[in-house]
Amino acid sequence: MTLPLYLGLPMWANQDWLGNLYPRHAKTELLSDYAAVFSSVEGNTTFYSGTPKPETIAAWARQALPPFRFCFKLPASITHDQRLTRLEDAWAFLAALEPLHDRLGPTMVQLPRDFGPQELPQLEALLAAWPVHLPCAVEVRHPEFFHKGAAEMALNRLLITYSANRVMLDVRPLFSTPANGHVGLANAQQEKPKLPLHVLSTANYPVIRFIGHIDKTINSSYFTAWKDRLKLWINQGKTPFLFVHTADNRESPHMARLLYNALEEVTPLPPLGPFAGEKQSQLF
């Protein structure tokens, strides 16, 4: 079973979501409650922590059943430390995830900010040998890939050739106002790269990382144009992945639901399940 669009958050374990997305006193196996609502998740934990233990992967497989999709990131040791020069480590990482291969969305290759045009041969070596049955998405951050010149053309041509998806990082809401003393907003503006948004689907699984503001009206305003674009891709037979962040991620579940409901206004989508914490509060 494949969904027309996969919706997710940057993580599933967040104590700020107790009492809304999760029951107030939930302690373990949050993923099962998460997967009852959202259909995908960014696997940021693998970027920082590397390959999960087999027992961890088995637990994830037990808690999140198809059609759920994990979008793990290649570990930073592969993309940042080795700069894609030891591909055997990438294949070992994908092999370790074999119990989840029927639940993998695009595995994300997040490249360093200084990974520029001269290193495209390393990226091509990775994509040329990438397993054809596993989708891949590439996130670049070097400024040369956003100038619509020769470097960006070469990158896009490479992604199209190997059916790799270009991750679209939409930080416009995040940087739409000064932080004005809001710590979460200030931290997010410091951490996220301020790059222009280039909307381009280079393969069948467009990946959008929507980095929201603390103001819901700002987020909704910037999302308006995405509605028609996502509808177009769905009608073309593509399967978009939409990941919703907010500045401190406290409101990410609610913001994702709000944007999903807005998208439902223009294209048919399966309904989201209720938040477990909200159901619990209604009982009392």
Side-chain angles (χ1 to χ4, degrees):
M1 178 182 177
T2 300
L3 301 178
L5 174 137
Y6 284 85
L7 176 70
L9 307 177
M11 66 198 77
W12 68 77
N14 190 325
Q15 295 299 305
D16 290 329
W17 301 341
L18 297 177
N20 50 80
L21 180 58
Y22 303 130
R24 186 168 302 279
H25 300 295
K27 290 185 173 64
T28 59
E29 300 209 344
L30 298 178
L31 178 56
S32 58
D33 281 333
Y34 176 94
V37 180
F38 297 104
S39 49
S40 189
V41 68
E42 284 188 24
N44 286 304
T45 180
T46 57
F47 181 77
Y48 298 105
S49 303
T51 304
K53 296 178 180 178
E55 56 268 28
T56 301
I57 294 172
W60 293 345
R62 185 179 68 250
Q63 294 177 61
L65 302 178
F68 189 86
R69 296 289 186 267
F70 293 92
C71 291
F72 295 111
K73 289 184 179 178
L74 280 189
S77 59
I78 298 172
T79 55
H80 287 55
D81 298 339
Q82 301 168 10
R83 304 181 78 88
L84 304 184
T85 59
R86 291 181 55 185
L87 297 187
E88 62 271 19
D89 290 349
W91 313 143
F93 173 75
L94 294 177
L97 298 176
E98 196 276 334
L100 293 172
H101 277 195
D102 64 334
R103 272 156 282 182
L104 290 187
T107 297
M108 288 192 271
V109 182
Q110 181 177 302
L111 297 172
R113 299 186 189 204
D114 61 348
F115 190 103
Q118 73 282 0
E119 292 181 278
L120 283 181
Q122 286 102 286
L123 177 60
E124 180 167 17
L126 175 79
L127 297 180
W130 192 272
V132 294
H133 64 289
L134 297 178
C136 174
V138 177
E139 181 175 325
V140 293
R141 297 188 172 188
H142 194 287
E144 282 295 311
F145 294 130
F146 296 87
H147 289 170
K148 298 185 178 181
E152 184 169 12
M153 291 175 61
L155 169 69
N156 292 337
R157 187 164 50 245
L158 181 63
L159 299 178
I160 292 169
T161 297
Y162 294 104
S163 298
N165 305 273
R166 180 168 177 173
V167 175
M168 288 159 273
L169 183 67
D170 189 354
V171 295
R172 296 173 303 161
L174 175 65
F175 289 102
S176 61
T177 73
N180 293 328
H182 189 282
V183 175
L185 186 58
N187 288 341
Q189 289 179 347
Q190 186 174 7
E191 292 171 2
K192 300 297 182 186
K194 191 175 182 180
L195 293 166
L197 172 66
H198 288 187
V199 178
L200 175 68
S201 174
T202 56
N204 290 328
Y205 302 96
V207 177
I208 301 99
R209 300 180 66 217
F210 186 88
I211 316 298
H213 197 276
I214 55 172
D215 187 328
K216 291 178 180 167
T217 59
I218 291 176
N219 295 334
S220 294
S221 176
Y222 278 100
F223 189 70
T224 298
W226 278 115
K227 292 162 60 176
D228 287 336
R229 180 60 58 130
L230 289 166
K231 176 185 176 181
L232 173 65
W233 285 334
I234 292 170
N235 289 343
Q236 290 174 340
K238 299 190 176 191
T239 305
F241 282 74
L242 173 63
F243 296 110
V244 178
H245 302 230
T246 53
D248 55 16
N249 282 318
R250 294 186 182 209
E251 294 298 318
S252 289
H254 295 285
M255 194 67 242
R257 183 167 60 181
L258 180 67
L259 299 184
Y260 189 84
N261 290 342
L263 184 58
E264 283 185 301
E265 297 171 1
V266 300
T267 190
L269 295 171
L272 294 183
F275 289 5
E278 293 177 346
K279 286 195 300 182
Q280 184 184 55
S281 64
Q282 290 168 4
L283 294 175
F284 297 95

